[in-house]
Amino acid sequence: MASFVFFRYSQAPELPQWAVGSSDLATLSIYMGIIFGSLHWMSNLIADFSAINRMPYLFSVIFKGLFLLLGATTLAYITQFLNMWAIENHMTTLRQMLTAHILYSPAFQALMIYLVAVRIGLAFIEQMALLVGPKVLLNIGLGKYHRPRYEQRLFLYLDMVASTSHAESLGDYRFSRLIQDCFSLLSDTIVNNEAEIYRYMGDAVLIYWPLEEGVKLDRSFNIYYEFSQQLSWQRRYFEEQYGFVPKFKAAAHCGQVVAAVVGVQKQEISFFSDVLNTLARLQDQCNPLGQRMLISGSLYSQLDTSSSDYLFKKLGPVKLKGKQHSIEVYGVSVKTSDN
């Protein structure tokens, strides 16, 4: 709203027909900004918590634009009604604060076109951010990784337990719905722990942070155990829909990677490092070691275990498949009142 008012009216020799004084330009920016900002938020809320979020992205973009247009038109009618009410009741002060014939003002029509165009543009950007991740979209747009860069990253690997047998018993369609339901529950805890999704791999997901951010506040452990708790809270739903409650195992590892944008027609930021191979092999050890979550010794050395809400059990050096050297491995569990 501020940018529209500035570019539309700042250089105009005369005030627009709806303005009583120059201060009305600032009033328009603040008042309309709050109104349309609220409409913007409401359209996102409706789209996220209704059947719209399962519809094609184009439909969601169009819905958000039309929602803003409907809200703006309703606001205009309310304003015109108040205007006529002020005239009938001889309320001069209120009359001056409202716009006469606002619906027929070319300035107002231009404003509506501008707002709807901006809203559709924002909705499109929001959908692109959902596809690739907001930080990834920003970094690709800024060209941050067009040249490979060395970075320190922390990765968390989540994988469904007994996924092969579940897929065989449910069939491809119902199994895909199960994965959708599971990862929908995962989304909030990922946002709350300031993580990014690197890649979905069927029934598994790879999550990451910059190393210094990932080790803060037990974020990698929080994601796994909060996700497990959410699955447990939805026990009744999963048992009714699929006959069981899905369980996941996890592994976390950190180290230096090379990050670079790859692809031309479809671009993404990829990480190249033995860290990812080690992480996959580490996750494979959950069942043999009888652990729900494992971390590497290199990650353990980065943690402040004295203030952690989790317990770490040293499992000794473990020889991972395809690796020449063993690595230190730790099991992770939640502290209880008995600990």
Side-chain angles (χ1 to χ4, degrees):
M1 285 304 306
S3 63
F4 177 85
V5 171
F6 177 79
F7 289 110
R8 178 68 175 81
Y9 300 115
S10 63
Q11 305 301 321
E14 298 180 357
L15 291 173
Q17 115 184 36
W18 47 263
V20 177
S22 58
S23 61
D24 286 354
L25 299 181
T27 301
L28 177 75
S29 299
I30 298 172
Y31 170 67
M32 300 291 277
I34 293 173
I35 294 296
F36 288 106
S38 299
L39 291 172
H40 177 105
W41 171 77
M42 288 175 63
S43 65
N44 279 343
L45 196 65
I46 293 172
D48 290 342
F49 293 96
S50 68
I52 294 174
N53 67 353
R54 291 186 179 272
M55 294 183 178
Y57 289 145
L58 181 61
F59 183 89
S60 179
V61 170
I62 294 173
F63 164 77
K64 291 175 180 179
L66 292 178
F67 185 90
L68 187 70
L69 179 61
L70 178 62
T73 304
T74 302
L75 180 64
Y77 275 109
I78 293 174
T79 303
Q80 190 174 41
F81 172 79
L82 292 174
N83 181 277
M84 299 303 298
W85 181 79
I87 293 174
E88 293 173 359
N89 290 273
H90 308 288
M91 302 179 67
T92 306
T93 302
L94 182 61
R95 170 73 178 83
Q96 290 178 345
M97 293 172 60
L98 301 169
T99 301
H101 309 298
I102 189 171
L103 287 176
Y104 310 107
S105 166
F108 180 78
Q109 294 170 1
L111 176 64
M112 290 302 98
I113 294 174
Y114 167 80
L115 287 174
V116 172
V118 168
R119 183 66 187 100
I120 290 176
L122 289 175
F124 180 77
I125 293 173
E126 289 167 356
Q127 295 301 324
M128 293 302 100
L130 288 176
L131 284 175
V132 301
K135 292 182 181 179
V136 172
L137 182 63
L138 178 62
N139 287 330
I140 290 178
L142 295 177
K144 183 176 180 180
Y145 295 105
H146 282 78
R147 290 186 178 181
R149 300 167 54 114
Y150 285 102
E151 294 184 339
Q152 294 290 327
R153 296 280 179 169
L154 190 162
F155 292 92
L156 172 66
Y157 191 123
L158 296 177
D159 188 26
M160 183 180 288
V161 175
S163 58
T164 302
S165 61
H166 292 331
E168 290 176 351
S169 62
L170 293 174
D172 292 340
Y173 180 81
R174 292 184 65 203
F175 183 70
S176 66
R177 291 302 302 268
L178 171 65
I179 298 301
Q180 285 183 323
D181 288 337
C182 290
F183 290 157
S184 292
L185 291 177
L186 180 63
S187 60
D188 285 342
T189 187
I190 286 178
V191 173
N192 294 339
N193 288 282
E194 300 182 14
E196 285 285 312
I197 295 174
Y198 175 41
R199 191 167 290 162
Y200 290 105
M201 298 165 288
D203 60 305
V205 59
L206 195 55
I207 302 164
Y208 70 94
W209 299 259
L211 179 57
E212 63 277 9
E213 297 297 324
V215 296
K216 288 182 181 178
L217 305 173
D218 294 328
R219 284 171 174 162
S220 58
F221 315 127
N222 290 342
I223 284 186
Y224 174 68
Y225 283 100
E226 288 174 9
F227 178 45
S228 298
Q229 189 176 54
Q230 289 173 334
L231 291 172
S232 179
W233 286 342
Q234 298 296 324
R235 171 179 298 276
R236 183 174 180 179
Y237 169 80
F238 282 106
E239 288 180 344
E240 289 178 352
Q241 295 294 321
Y242 307 106
F244 63 92
V245 179
K247 295 181 180 180
F248 283 75
K249 53 189 177 181
H253 183 38
C254 65
Q256 180 175 271
V257 300
V258 175
V261 171
V262 296
V264 177
Q265 300 298 328
K266 179 184 181 300
Q267 294 188 338
E268 67 174 25
I269 297 174
S270 291
F271 298 107
F272 303 90
S273 173
D274 187 58
V275 171
L276 296 176
N277 294 328
T278 301
L279 177 65
R281 302 293 186 268
L282 180 61
Q283 187 269 337
D284 289 338
Q285 294 298 312
C286 285
N287 289 342
L289 296 176
Q291 298 291 318
R292 297 175 61 190
M293 183 176 189
L294 296 174
I295 65 171
S296 64
S298 58
L299 175 55
Y300 179 81
S301 66
Q302 300 288 331
L303 302 174
D304 180 9
T305 56
S306 61
S307 60
S308 176
D309 293 327
Y310 298 88
L311 292 174
F312 302 93
K313 179 181 180 181
K314 187 173 182 179
L315 302 175
V318 174
K319 183 74 163 60
L320 301 180
K321 183 179 179 181
K323 299 294 179 181
Q324 293 183 354
H325 305 288
S326 300
I327 68 168
E328 290 291 336
V329 176
Y330 292 79
V332 183
S333 59
V334 181
K335 285 183 179 178
T336 63
S337 57
D338 297 333
N339 295 135

